[in-house]
Amino acid sequence: MDILNKNIQFVKGIGPKKALKLNKLNIFTIKDLLYYFPRVYEDRSNVKKIWQLEHDEKACTKGVITNIKSQVAKNNMKISKFVIKDETGFLTLVFFNQDYLTKVFKQGDSVIVYGKVKREGSILEMNSSDIEFFTNSPTSTCKMIPIYPLTYGVTNKDISNTIKNVYNNEKISIQEYLPQDIINKYKLCSIDFAVKNLHMPSDKQSLKIALYRMIFEEFLILQIGLFYLKNGIDNEKGIKFEKKEKLNDIIKSLPFKLTNAQSRAFNEVIGDMESDNVMNRLIQGDVGSGKTIVATLVLALAVLNGYQGALMAPTEILARQHYISLSDTLSPFDINVGLLVGSLTKKQKEKILDKIKNREIDILIGTHALIEDNVEFDNLGIVVTDEQHRFGVRQRAKLSTKGNNPDILVMTATPIPRTLALILYGDLDISIIDELPPGRQPIDTKAFEAKQRDFIYTNFIRDEIDKGRQVYVVCPLVEESEAIEAKAAEDLKDELKQKYFSDLNVEVLHGKMKPSLKDQIMNDFKENKIQILVSTTVIEVGVNVPNATLMIIENAERFGLAQLHQLRGRVGRGSHKSHCILIYSSKTNICKERMEIMEQTNDGFKISEKDLEIRGPGEFFGTRQHGLPELKVANIFKHIKILKLAQEEARNILKNDKNLSKNENILLKKEIIEKFSDINKEISLN
Ligand code: ADP
Ligand code: MG
């Protein structure tokens, strides 16, 4: 068996206990372990003289132990002190509850230490430093020390020691998979050298070389994979739709005029539809920019050409809302719209499924239920997915298999800058709606500390309701459990009702409720039978109630910026001035900075750029959601130059070998397929 596929449990020095710990980090095989790269490195390569040490810096120094003292503090803490000296001065090392060290190290020993320096007057101290014997050969303490991303119960030493063990006890050699030409052209080191030096850099330069190779490789694989996905679809012949006069009648019937940005995006889509290539287009538009109407018109054009269309939304609430809105717009033109969601009874479902097959339904709207196997269309010509960031690449693809190369349009309200979008959505062409419908007033956002909660509830809400408006209150995000989140929402509703608003209709909406009840509540809210809607993030996407003008978000620090922006986007949808209040209870600088960003801008592009910067793309998108391989060392902000090179090279490679079937590319292809395999695993129906 290939050594790399060997279970780490069978590595010398790793017992079942340690193996279990590593499993928690998704490390199961030796290969997993070797590809578990450090997050950052501590630079211990520079060994300073004691007199050079500065207050508050983390530094490495060496000396001879001249004095060892142990004492017990009042709280029973054992304190050990070592004084070391070199030819320039003295340094005291202080350790807490580590008195075994006094047995390991003796007066006269030469040691090398790394830690944070404290200088008070002429007294130099280091607390809980790393300490090791110093022999004349370089020891691990004075190098670049890898710092790994960790989980509870696994220490940095656990990982680095395990890796050392593997290299000491096994013969590790990873077969090169990048083509030799590329290696030469970009002067890359071998994969073997790269992996080894990422974990155990022999010096700074080697680490640099190793990092460069790995960053290049990650981008190259990502880009080839994406181009591959796109080309696979691009080259296919699709449907050639024709212009239809009736579409103009539909546009004329709308209660508003399309904005310039809407028209532009719409025309770009029409351009794709009229060509005989399959369309693969993304519409990015800020919350409230009016993407739904563009989708409506696009779907209508397909129907006027004699085809069916499908519109997939991430939540049932949103699907139902789209159903109502599209029916309103299109039924006067004899276009039949149907709804397929998980909560329909078996009978209702069967009826709908029949109608889809018989073409009695022209446009089918629904949730994930649309991609279930039993959904068969007569002739599906176009597929639209709303709020693309909630679906993976593969789910999109699965829906399109229900037609014969239908055109694909995806829409997202988590807009990101074009350059980034080109990378992350490399498989799509992009249109941007960067304009809000006229008459919208910017939403005023203010962040308050939690201690002002009472003031907020007694003042702001009352004011809005007295004006005839309505209010959302979003309660804290509980990542682990929808049940706890639901309970929190119920509790908050009770509190509001009892303490502040006994005269008003306060209701709650959360994911644990029956769909029919959710529906009822959304309807009542739309009709202003409910004044205050307490909700979990189920209202995050798409919900449209123009009379709601105040959004209050509790524990705002728990949400990502893009998510806060989405939530805020539930208000400001009509002509009334709207407000958003963020309540936070964290005092960290990051929290303050994030609240300020929200207060200062309403621009979704800017916000998601900041969010991406703070959280990184993996977390921003949720790697699983967009279905792309994880970037472990590469960073799309820091390494733009390498990214451009890799992007160019990816194009080159595919130009010369479209299917990566030439000998020199076969191993690379295997690696790409493996890295993109999560896309295949990701299909989950609910
Ligand atoms: P989003 O892009 O967030 O999905 P929607 O499609 O839900 O936004 O549109 C938000 C609101 O704006 C809807 O009430 C819609 O009817 C309205 N709207 C869309 N386009 C225009 C327009 N050109 N002029 C005025 N109102 C518009
Ligand atoms: Mg929308």
Side-chain angles (χ1 to χ4, degrees), residues 177-377:
Y177 40 80
L178 291 186
Q180 196 56 45
D181 278 358
I182 306 274
I183 298 219
N184 297 344
K185 184 169 166 190
Y186 296 94
K187 302 194 174 57
L188 305 175
C189 65
S190 71
I191 181 66
D192 234 3
F193 180 93
V195 169
K196 191 167 181 186
N197 277 279
L198 281 175
H199 295 296
M200 305 183 291
S202 39
D203 52 46
K204 262 191 197 171
Q205 189 59 20
S206 310
L207 176 62
K208 216 171 138 188
I209 293 168
L211 275 170
Y212 187 84
R213 139 93 204 208
M214 222 51 227
I215 294 167
F216 187 90
E217 168 186 326
E218 283 189 349
F219 282 145
L220 186 72
I221 286 178
L222 178 69
Q223 291 295 305
I224 295 185
L226 284 171
F227 288 150
Y228 208 72
L229 276 175
K230 182 174 149 115
N231 286 345
I233 313 165
D234 259 5
N235 293 334
E236 298 208 32
K237 286 272 170 275
I239 304 161
K240 202 165 151 58
F241 294 96
E242 285 168 14
K243 281 203 173 64
K244 295 284 170 188
E245 195 43 46
K246 208 168 173 188
L247 192 63
N248 288 329
D249 298 340
I250 300 179
I251 294 176
K252 273 183 217 143
S253 79
L254 297 176
F256 47 72
K257 201 170 152 286
L258 294 182
T259 63
N260 288 335
Q262 280 172 320
S263 299
R264 192 174 357 103
F266 179 59
N267 285 329
E268 284 166 359
V269 175
I270 299 283
D272 288 354
M273 289 177 77
E274 289 175 359
S275 95
D276 60 0
N277 283 338
V278 171
M279 167 167 78
N280 257 292
R281 185 168 287 275
L282 170 73
I283 295 187
Q284 291 205 70
D286 210 341
V287 218
S289 61
K291 294 181 291 294
T292 316
I293 191 62
V294 176
T296 307
L297 296 173
V298 164
L299 287 161
L301 179 65
V303 174
L304 296 174
N305 272 273
Y307 288 90
Q308 288 170 296
L311 170 58
M312 182 157 71
T315 65
E316 192 156 333
I317 292 176
L318 191 52
R320 283 174 186 272
Q321 185 181 288
H322 282 329
Y323 171 67
I324 294 167
S325 145
L326 268 77
S327 306
D328 280 354
T329 312
L330 299 179
S331 56
F333 298 89
D334 284 336
I335 293 178
N336 292 324
V337 183
L339 178 71
L340 182 66
V341 285
S343 65
L344 298 182
T345 62
K346 206 169 162 227
K347 256 215 170 109
Q348 289 170 318
K349 231 180 234 170
E350 275 165 11
K351 214 167 144 193
I352 297 271
L353 290 176
D354 265 353
K355 284 186 172 180
I356 301 165
K357 230 193 291 186
N358 302 335
R359 247 227 94 130
E360 285 170 61
I361 288 177
D362 299 306
I363 296 174
L364 181 65
I365 297 175
T367 51
H368 292 79
L370 293 193
I371 52 178
E372 275 172 33
D373 288 334
N374 55 7
V375 181
E376 285 174 50
F377 288 83

Side-chain angles (χ1 to χ4, degrees), residues 589-657:
N589 283 340
I590 288 204
C591 172
K592 289 224 175 77
E593 187 194 339
R594 296 172 66 225
M595 295 301 129
E596 273 165 25
I597 294 170
M598 293 305 296
E599 286 180 334
Q600 282 158 9
T601 180
N602 267 302
D603 182 337
F605 286 86
K606 271 196 201 132
I607 287 172
S608 39
E609 192 171 357
K610 285 274 179 219
D611 209 12
L612 262 160
E613 244 176 76
I614 295 174
R615 296 195 296 162
E619 246 187 274
F620 178 81
F621 289 95
T623 312
R624 264 193 29 248
Q625 277 167 3
H626 71 111
L628 301 176
E630 186 191 359
L631 297 174
K632 292 178 179 169
V633 289
N635 177 313
I636 49 178
F637 289 99
K638 277 205 258 172
H639 308 128
I640 295 258
K641 271 194 195 148
I642 309 178
L643 173 60
K644 292 215 167 113
L645 287 181
Q647 207 163 25
E648 208 176 294
E649 194 52 49
R651 273 196 204 99
N652 251 338
I653 293 177
L654 286 173
K655 204 169 81 195
N656 295 323
D657 185 11

Side-chain angles (χ1 to χ4, degrees), residues 226 282 284 415-428 430 432 605 612 621 636 647:
L226 284 171
L282 170 73
Q284 291 205 70
I416 55 175
R418 186 183 279 273
T419 44
L420 285 183
L422 282 175
I423 297 155
L424 293 165
Y425 299 118
D427 58 328
L428 298 164
I430 298 171
I432 292 179
F605 286 86
L612 262 160
F621 289 95
I636 49 178
Q647 207 163 25

Side-chain angles (χ1 to χ4, degrees), residues 10-120:
F10 304 114
V11 172
K12 214 169 152 188
I14 299 182
K17 246 194 187 157
K18 198 172 260 175
L20 270 182
K21 279 184 176 179
L22 293 171
N23 289 167
K24 275 198 229 154
L25 295 168
N26 271 328
I27 298 172
F28 296 92
T29 63
I30 293 192
K31 183 169 183 186
D32 294 338
L33 178 70
L34 295 181
Y35 274 78
Y36 194 80
F37 297 134
R39 188 167 40 86
V40 286
Y41 297 82
E42 275 181 1
D43 184 358
R44 304 186 184 182
S45 58
N46 180 9
V47 184
K48 292 192 163 178
K49 299 281 182 213
I50 290 179
W51 72 271
Q52 291 176 304
L53 298 177
E54 281 172 38
H55 181 66
D56 241 17
E57 76 168 336
K58 277 190 145 188
C60 190
T61 187
K62 66 178 189 191
V64 177
I65 300 177
T66 61
N67 193 353
I68 302 178
K69 244 197 319 211
S70 284
Q71 64 195 75
V72 178
K74 271 194 214 119
N75 55 1
N76 256 342
M77 173 118 55
K78 290 178 184 143
I79 302 177
S80 338
K81 291 188 176 177
F82 294 71
V83 179
I84 67 169
K85 73 160 194 171
D86 67 4
E87 65 275 22
T88 69
F90 292 87
L91 169 69
T92 306
L93 312 173
V94 185
F95 297 93
F96 304 97
N97 285 337
Q98 282 182 282
D99 56 340
Y100 68 91
L101 288 173
T102 58
K103 300 200 176 67
V104 179
F105 296 97
K106 298 263 166 302
Q107 234 176 31
D109 285 342
S110 283
V111 292
I112 183 152
V113 298
Y114 179 88
K116 196 165 175 181
V117 180
K118 217 168 87 185
R119 184 190 276 277
E120 272 176 20

Side-chain angles (χ1 to χ4, degrees), residues 118-132:
K118 217 168 87 185
R119 184 190 276 277
E120 272 176 20
S122 59
I123 312 272
L124 269 180
E125 257 186 29
M126 222 183 235
N127 283 342
S128 311
S129 51
D130 270 5
I131 174 167
E132 273 180 44

